[in-house]
Amino acid sequence: MSVNYGSKRIVVGAHYGLRDWLSQRVTAALMALFTVVVLAQLIFTKGPIGYAAWAGIFSSQWMKVVTFSVIVALAWHVWVGVRDIWMDYIQPVGLRLVLQVFTIVWLVGCAGWGFQVLWRL
């Protein structure tokens, strides 16, 4: 005869845990810092802010690497958030899977487009 002490916790919905929470905070901090750096460069740019000024900001190698990192961080940040929404609010497993696959394909496409624009400068 088995004795069941306490209740068994059943976790449903999104992935709970420190890893997802921490990844959201770290990627958000990285994106906020990047925004401050870009704004500072824009504020201290002399002359009109047109294509030449924007291309000048992103032309250096270090800025391309930082922007590349921010694009990856943005895609990861969005994936964690949208995946949690699908897991919490979409009950049919098949529809949830289709939405998750669509989200992955969309994010990879957007990140690829961002990389293409960045490295073309």
Side-chain angles (χ1 to χ4, degrees), residues 15-39:
H15 296 267
Y16 297 98
L18 180 63
R19 182 184 55 130
D20 291 341
W21 180 86
L22 191 59
S23 71
Q24 288 286 85
R25 275 38 180 203
V26 169
T27 56
L30 179 64
M31 290 182 290
L33 183 63
F34 177 77
T35 301
V36 169
V37 168
V38 171
L39 284 175

Side-chain angles (χ1 to χ4, degrees), residues 5 17 47 51 53 55-56 60 64 74 90 93-94 96 99-100 104-105:
Y5 295 103
Y51 177 80
S60 63
K64 287 184 179 185
L74 177 64
I90 305 298
V93 176
R96 186 185 317 151
L99 290 171
Q100 287 177 338
I104 291 169
V105 170

Side-chain angles (χ1 to χ4, degrees), residues 23-24 27-28 30-31 67-84 100 103-115:
S23 71
Q24 288 286 85
T27 56
L30 179 64
M31 290 182 290
T67 305
F68 179 85
S69 301
V70 169
I71 291 171
V72 171
L74 177 64
W76 185 256
H77 186 91
V78 170
W79 167 244
V80 170
V82 172
R83 182 201 62 205
D84 287 353
Q100 287 177 338
T103 303
I104 291 169
V105 170
W106 179 260
L107 288 173
V108 168
C110 288
W113 176 72
F115 300 150

